[in-house]
Amino acid sequence: MPDPAVPPTPPVPLTALLAREDLGLRQLAGPPAEGVVVHWVHTSEMADPYPYLLGGELLLSAGVHIPEAAGPGTSYFDDYVSRIVAAGGAALGFGVAPVHDTVPEALVAACASHGLPLLEVPPRTTFSGVARAVWQLMARARLAELRRVTEAQQSLATAASRPDPVPSVLRQLAQRLGGWAVLYGPEGTEIAGAGREPGDEARAALTRLGEVVRPVRQTPQAGSAVSAGTAGTRSGAPGAGVRPDHPTPPPNTASTTSPARRTDPTGTRPAEPGDALRPDHPTPPPNPASRAGSATGATRPAEPDAARAASPPGTASRASAASPPGTASRASAAGTRQAGSGAGRAGARADVAPDRPALVPPADPGRPAPSSATDSVAGLHLAAYSLGAGHGFVLGVAAPQRTAGDHTVASVAAVLLSLLTGEQQSGTGAARSSALVRMLLGVPPEEVASLLGDGPWVVVRARPDGDGAPDPVAASALGAALGSALVDPAGDVVRVLVPADRAPADPLPGWTLGISSAVEPEDWPAADTQAARALARARATRAPLLRHGARPAFADLVPPGEAAAHARALLAPVTAHPALTETLRTWLSLHGSWDRTAVALSVHRNTVRQRIARCAALLATDLDDPDVRMELWFALRHI
């Protein structure tokens, strides 16, 4: 039976419907209900319901369409059931009364012959009641799935904050999925793993699956059979059923199928390795004449165009009132499929030698690899996720079963692992770490600046609007907005080292910024002082952004060494008290304003008065004298 174009809702096990005592359903024929799920409900009294089914339905009928001449000696029931099976119907529910007192024996025999579960719907149970029960069970399953995903997200986030974040995330993911989780490096080697390790066959298939989603690093040579970033493996090998979650068109549709392979509408064709390829996210497949293959690889036979042409107008709109939201749009999408056979086998390739594994080169070499792909090997469900940092890391998962929410849980783990492995393992992150270590070991900043990028640089000091110190998340967001990862959240101020060509030109909402002039690495400390002064003036004047104004001055006429010596001698009485020095500098920069100085320093105005009075006493000078203020300002600029 082909896989249906299922909606994004949890399926309902047929056993759950049979267990509802209020419905009173009874299975008369078909395979055991334990392996059957229902994705939606549809009611139809058409003799040929095929054009109105999308697959996965519990089809309900009262037998109005059955002619009087139909009986055990005719082919009516066999044709009717075969069309339901061909459309991918999950089960058939036959309502007893008012048309038929019992379920026709010929219908029971046909369902048993074609492997279609047949349910008897008693007279007291309405079809709308069956549909309502299905939606209720779906809602409960959806709620349980959301609760499970939420709990998994919390546990994965907690694991990511532990001292060994990568192994912790993998252990938590393996525990949540009941299988094995592994992290592959850029070269395809296993970096870390957790959980129950699979067998060699599944392990090798998962490794090949990782190559499908790993970004292409180089263009393959002409004639090469290998290309990382496509979906497909050699025929017959484990992993031949690789399904990219975001499928790409096959390189040559004509080479994968031929019109000669199309069979009678009621027949089937043999399963092929590529038939199991299907997107995990339901999208209209490129092949109109066949639906995505089931787990066994069987596909829906091609139907002559005349059969669809004979469908009455408004097929997509004639879905049952019991159908879930979105049914009409899915029916419409299903009706827009173009003619062709076998094109849905993403990446199936006929010219690959059967004795060597190969990945199929995409039709467009510039097209990116899918972000995730799935496969089934040795009874295990395999999945691979490309980590978003773009450095070639891949998350692999092998689980004994694939339940609702597994893809979401694994995607959350992939996002966390992207954050944990991306920046630290990238060339930029490694260069920054190297620069930091070298400076800690005594290497001058100008000698390691080349590892961080080309200069010159500016220092940005930022303080969030309102009360409270910025948290690390807010500091990181500020660095991202400024285009730099060189961020230092120090107390109530965030310092960011930014290349001069990325210096912010406009204010950032929620922040007050002070920006230094552009300097070379050897002048970074001086630039930090400039940014601090600019920030203090910006807060005092309530300006969202203020730059340090560098222009020629008379102070530049004095040699720096002599100026520094004079400053140290003049300010010696107050430099032993950092609070006094900073208060004097801020007070002078704000032209002796008590209120603005208090705002800039986040202290009371009386504290400012007391400190300035103390400075005047220690320096034994009159701070109301403009010449004294000018001389002190000149000195403060050199310490």
Side-chain angles (χ1 to χ4, degrees):
M1 184 182 297
D3 287 336
V6 296
T9 54
V12 174
L14 189 58
T15 53
L17 279 178
L18 294 174
R20 291 280 296 256
E21 296 182 357
D22 57 323
L23 298 179
L25 303 179
R26 183 166 63 99
Q27 184 172 357
L28 302 180
E34 285 74 12
V36 181
V37 294
V38 174
H39 292 278
W40 39 31
V41 178
H42 181 64
T43 302
S44 174
E45 297 297 343
M46 302 297 295
D48 181 11
Y50 181 97
Y52 308 96
L53 301 180
L54 297 178
E57 297 94 344
L58 168 60
L59 178 63
L60 300 177
S61 174
V64 177
H65 57 87
I66 301 177
E68 296 182 0
T74 65
S75 63
Y76 179 83
F77 290 105
D78 189 78
D79 294 341
Y80 175 71
V81 173
S82 66
R83 294 294 280 171
I84 298 175
V85 172
L92 172 64
F94 192 88
V96 176
V99 181
H100 296 271
D101 295 332
T102 60
V103 179
E105 294 183 1
L107 178 60
V108 175
C111 288
S113 174
H114 289 276
L116 179 68
L118 175 63
L119 310 182
E120 179 187 69
V121 183
R124 62 183 176 84
T125 302
T126 62
F127 287 175
S128 60
V130 175
R132 181 177 58 185
V134 170
W135 310 143
Q136 288 175 347
L137 292 172
M138 281 186 175
R140 294 175 187 172
R142 182 60 173 168
L143 180 61
E145 176 187 340
L146 292 176
R147 184 181 295 111
R148 172 174 175 261
V149 169
T150 300
E151 293 174 352
Q153 288 175 336
Q154 294 172 349
S155 63
L156 288 170
T158 301
S161 64
R162 292 173 182 167
D164 54 341
V166 171
S168 296
V169 170
L170 292 176
R171 284 195 298 268
Q172 189 60 230
L173 178 61
Q175 179 182 348
R176 289 286 173 177
L177 301 185
W180 188 53
V182 59
L183 177 66
Y184 296 105
E187 305 303 326
T189 57
E190 295 180 9
I191 296 179
R196 294 176 293 181
E197 296 187 11
D200 293 340
E201 181 183 4
R203 196 164 187 161
L206 186 58
T207 301
R208 289 194 297 271
L209 195 64
E211 297 300 326
V212 173
V213 300
R214 180 171 286 108
V216 178
R217 291 185 174 269
Q218 61 183 1
T219 304
Q221 300 295 328
S224 173
V226 179
S227 173
T230 54
T233 57
R234 66 183 177 88
S235 175
V242 174
R243 306 188 305 257
D245 287 356
H246 303 285
T248 57
N252 184 0
T253 303
S255 66
T256 58
T257 55
S258 170
R261 297 187 60 82
R262 299 181 64 176
T263 62
D264 183 82
T266 59
T268 59
R269 65 176 176 83
E272 297 186 67
D275 290 342
L277 291 170
R278 60 181 177 84
D280 283 356
H281 304 288
T283 54
N287 176 13
S290 66
R291 296 176 185 246
S294 67
T296 60
T299 59
R300 175 178 171 178
E303 183 185 18
D305 295 340
R308 288 289 179 184
S311 302
T315 296
S317 63
R318 298 187 59 181
S320 166
S323 299
T327 299
S329 62
R330 291 187 176 277
S332 175
T336 61
R337 300 170 181 171
Q338 302 172 350
S341 170
R345 305 205 314 268
R349 178 172 169 175
D351 59 344
V352 175
D355 58 345
R356 62 175 182 176
L359 296 176
V360 184
D364 180 7
R367 171 170 289 177
S371 60
S372 61
T374 58
D375 192 10
S376 296
V377 173
L380 294 177
H381 295 267
L382 311 180
Y385 300 85
S386 176
L387 301 190
H391 304 302
F393 290 88
V394 172
L395 170 64
V397 175
Q401 59 184 1
R402 186 177 178 88
T403 59
D406 283 357
H407 179 73
T408 303
V409 172
S411 298
V412 172
V415 171
L416 293 173
L417 291 173
S418 297
L419 298 175
L420 294 172
T421 61
E423 189 58 47
Q424 289 78 1
Q425 301 297 335
S426 67
T428 303
R432 274 206 303 273
S433 298
S434 177
L436 175 60
V437 170
R438 295 185 189 186
M439 284 191 288
L440 290 175
L441 296 178
V443 177
E446 56 270 21
E447 295 186 17
V448 300
S450 59
L451 297 173
L452 304 177
D454 297 331
W457 302 78
V458 298
V459 176
V460 177
R461 281 203 173 220
R463 184 163 178 171
D465 298 340
D467 300 330
D471 55 54
V473 175
S476 298
L478 173 65
L482 296 176
S484 174
L486 302 172
V487 181
D488 173 32
D492 57 354
V493 174
V494 178
R495 298 187 298 178
V496 188
L497 190 60
V498 182
D501 57 354
R502 301 182 193 170
D506 301 314
L508 295 178
W511 294 91
T512 300
L513 304 181
I515 305 173
S516 74
S517 59
V519 299
E520 295 301 327
E522 58 269 21
D523 295 324
W524 282 346
D528 185 36
T529 302
Q530 294 174 358
R533 294 171 184 169
L535 176 61
R537 289 184 60 82
R539 296 189 69 243
T541 58
R542 303 187 186 279
L545 183 149
L546 192 64
R547 298 178 182 275
H548 174 79
R551 63 172 184 256
F554 284 109
D556 298 330
L557 300 177
V558 181
E562 295 181 12
H566 173 73
R568 288 193 297 269
L570 179 64
L571 298 173
V574 297
T575 51
H577 308 281
L580 295 181
T581 305
E582 187 62 25
T583 302
L584 179 60
R585 176 185 287 113
T586 305
W587 183 73
L588 290 174
S589 71
L590 296 174
H591 310 292
S593 172
W594 308 107
D595 293 333
R596 288 193 293 173
T597 303
V599 171
L601 298 177
S602 298
V603 298
H604 195 274
R605 64 194 306 271
N606 289 339
T607 302
V608 176
R609 287 181 177 274
Q610 294 172 1
R611 292 179 180 177
I612 295 300
R614 178 65 174 163
C615 290
L618 291 174
L619 295 172
T621 187
D622 182 10
L623 294 183
D624 290 332
D625 187 337
D627 290 334
V628 172
R629 290 191 182 187
M630 182 176 63
E631 184 178 8
L632 291 175
W633 180 251
F634 169 83
L636 286 168
R637 293 184 59 188
H638 291 84
I639 63 171

